[in-house]
Amino acid sequence: MPTIHYILKDGSRRSVDAKAGSSVMENAIRGNIRGIDAECGGSCSCATCHVYVDDAFIDRLPPPDEVEGELLDGVASERQPGSRLSCQLAMTAELDGLTVRVPETQS
Ligand code: FES
């Protein structure tokens, strides 16, 4: 089971074991990770699941599609190179150790 590491607003770190195929957002909800609200339930329309993907993993993920890209343009926190909507990131065994940071404006 691949593990996802979440870095919270206060700098603390939480880890969640993920089923392959589940999204980074779904695992955050299951693990009670603060700051990932996922108001739209994963239908890529709210951007409340915004995370910053660690540099080491950015190129290992498929790039955002057009809809995700447009939503990322309007996120509350600054859009950065690692910005992604966690509902659009499906876990695979190869992504074991994926590290994402919750933006400070999300709590
Ligand atoms: Fe709404 Fe990801 S959960 S865009």
Side-chain angles (χ1 to χ4, degrees):
M1 230 181 228
T3 300
I4 307 170
H5 305 294
Y6 298 87
I7 300 173
L8 307 186
K9 187 177 167 180
D10 65 2
S12 63
R13 198 176 162 99
R14 296 269 312 278
S15 299
V16 176
D17 290 330
K19 281 188 192 158
S22 61
S23 74
V24 174
M25 174 278 279
E26 290 168 332
N27 287 287
I29 299 297
R30 196 167 52 80
N32 288 320
I33 302 297
R34 290 188 65 185
I36 298 182
D37 294 338
E39 288 172 6
C40 76
S43 59
C44 201
S45 61
C46 73
T48 60
C49 65
H50 178 209
V51 294
Y52 297 120
V53 173
D54 185 87
D55 290 350
F57 287 89
I58 292 175
D59 293 338
R60 294 165 61 180
L61 297 168
D65 65 16
E66 194 178 329
V67 174
E68 183 184 353
E70 285 174 7
L71 274 172
L72 286 169
D73 283 340
V75 289
S77 304
E78 177 193 4
R79 182 175 181 174
Q80 298 179 4
S83 284
R84 295 299 302 264
L85 297 181
S86 57
C87 67
Q88 301 302 300
L89 303 177
M91 284 305 290
T92 62
E94 293 72 31
L95 291 174
D96 182 36
L98 176 68
T99 303
V100 300
R101 184 166 53 85
V102 178
E104 290 187 10
T105 54
Q106 294 169 211
S107 59

